[in-house]
């Protein structure tokens, strides 16, 4: 009798775990996907260590809505293509919604399949170019006004221990790292912060004509972002197909300045539930 009860208890435990995994899978596939900011390409809108949920309902569903499970430590690399590759290739979405210029979007890299997060600045059919660090859309410059200086400590950041680049020259460990800050206003009236570090090649680009069914993305940390300014065949992002959009980022849930989000003593007190502009 005791043996039967023990077997029954084990079976119930297994059922509970299976149900929990199914619920989590449905939640992540159709509603919200957790995202941990690994790099500084979206500073100062998003900082390394920000944790947020991506709204998958915003743009509808495609093969990219299926989760990828990547745990290098255990050799696990299951891509969304492995789950939903059968739905790839037609560049359409179920219950599709159009993204808006200025949205901060998580999308699948067109070549590597890894999740990226950038700001949508260019729509299908538009011509985009960066001239002297200023974004031009259909030959018209967007409005950019100075907004002071963004400061951070010159120290390794996040699990990858990335060191920030600074506009105030080489800065020793523990020093104040500065970047010029501006407010950029896109043609639809959406305003957000962007950063400038130095004059470099990405400040002057060719003219890009966005194909139909594709979008053009840039990082807010303009001099430290791999984005649509570089073709994906050259290691950049290039134009992103509509079906590769995962969802819209709307709010930072919490943020850790340490090496792990579990180090609660390193959480940034001013970023709880912070709205993403």
């Amino acid at each position: 009798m005791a043996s039967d009860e023990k077997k029954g208890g084990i079976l119930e435990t297994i059922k509970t775990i299976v149900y929990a995994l199914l619920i989590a899978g449905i939640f992540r596939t159709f509603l919200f996907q957790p995202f941990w900011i690994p790099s500084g390409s979206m500073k100062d809108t998003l900082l390394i260590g920000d944790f947020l949920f991506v709204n998958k309902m915003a743009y509808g569903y495609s093969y990219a809505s299926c989760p990828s499970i990547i745990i290098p430590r255990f050799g696990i690399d299951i891509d969304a293509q492995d789950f939903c590759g059968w739905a790839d290739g037609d560049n359409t979405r179920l219950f599709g919604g159009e993204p808006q210029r200025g949205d901060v979007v998580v999308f699948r890299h067109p070549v590597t399949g890894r999740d990226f997060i950038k700001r949508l600045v260019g729509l299908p059919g538009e011509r985009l170019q960066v001239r002297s660090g200023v974004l031009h859309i259909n030959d018209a410059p967007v409005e950019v006004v100075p907004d002071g200086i963004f400061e951070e400590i010159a120290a390794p950041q996040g699990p990858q221990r990335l060191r920030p680049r600074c506009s105030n020259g080489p800065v020793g460990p523990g020093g104040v790292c500065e970047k010029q800050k501006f407010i950029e206003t896109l043609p639809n009236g959406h305003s957000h912060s962007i950063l400038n570090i130095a004059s470099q090649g990405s400040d002057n680009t060719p003219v890009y004509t966005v194909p139909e069914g594709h979008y053009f993305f840039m990082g807010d940390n303009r001099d430290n972002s791999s984005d649509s300014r570089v073709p994906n065949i050259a290691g950049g992002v290039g134009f992103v197909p509509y079906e590769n959009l995962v969802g819209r980022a709307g709010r930072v849930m919490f943020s850790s300045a340490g090496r792990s989000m579990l180090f609660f003593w390193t959480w940034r007190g001013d970023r709880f539930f912070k709205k993403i502009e």
Side-chain angles (χ1 to χ4, degrees), residues 233-244:
I233 58 174
V237 170
F239 304 121
V240 178
Y242 179 47
E243 67 179 351
N244 280 42

Side-chain angles (χ1 to χ4, degrees), residues 7-218:
K7 289 181 181 178
I10 294 174
L11 182 60
E12 287 303 314
T13 300
I14 293 173
K15 285 183 179 179
T16 299
I17 293 173
V18 170
Y19 291 152
L21 291 174
L22 286 174
I23 292 171
I26 292 171
F27 181 87
R28 179 165 178 171
T29 300
F30 295 105
L31 301 177
F32 298 95
Q33 174 175 314
F35 195 86
W36 175 259
I37 303 299
S39 74
S41 68
M42 282 295 293
K43 290 178 181 176
D44 65 329
T45 302
L46 297 172
L47 304 180
I48 294 176
D50 281 353
F51 180 82
L52 49 90
F53 283 102
V54 178
N55 181 0
K56 287 191 168 185
M57 298 175 285
Y59 310 132
Y61 305 97
S62 71
Y63 86 97
S65 302
C66 287
S68 297
I69 303 175
I70 303 170
I71 311 177
R73 181 179 300 178
F74 299 104
I76 298 175
D77 190 350
I78 304 174
D79 191 79
Q81 283 276 6
D82 299 323
F83 291 114
C84 298
W86 54 270
D88 185 15
D90 59 1
N91 203 25
T92 60
R93 307 182 71 87
L94 182 66
F95 308 121
E98 292 296 326
Q100 301 298 309
R101 194 195 311 274
D103 285 357
V104 175
V105 179
V106 170
F107 58 86
R108 284 174 53 83
H109 189 285
V111 174
T112 68
R114 294 297 187 253
D115 287 343
F116 272 52
I117 186 166
K118 307 288 180 185
R119 189 178 299 278
L120 193 159
V121 297
L123 303 176
E126 293 183 331
R127 298 185 312 278
L128 287 93
Q129 184 180 27
V130 179
R131 305 178 197 168
S132 300
V134 177
L135 174 64
H136 289 63
I137 301 176
N138 294 330
D139 302 316
V142 302
E143 179 184 345
V144 177
V145 296
D147 190 41
I149 299 294
F150 170 71
E151 296 182 348
E152 58 185 337
I153 301 300
Q157 299 177 356
Q160 301 179 52
R161 313 310 288 155
L162 301 175
R163 286 188 169 274
R165 292 179 57 201
C166 312
S167 63
N168 54 330
V171 177
V176 177
C177 176
E178 298 181 350
K179 296 176 179 62
Q180 297 172 323
K181 184 177 177 181
F182 299 86
I183 298 297
E184 178 180 81
T185 301
L186 298 173
N188 63 347
H190 186 284
S191 295
H192 55 271
S193 173
I194 62 172
L195 301 181
N196 177 68
I197 300 173
S199 296
Q200 57 185 49
S202 58
D203 289 335
N204 292 279
T205 72
V207 175
Y208 303 99
T209 300
V210 185
E212 288 301 318
H214 292 71
Y215 297 91
F216 195 95
F217 289 89
M218 294 177 68

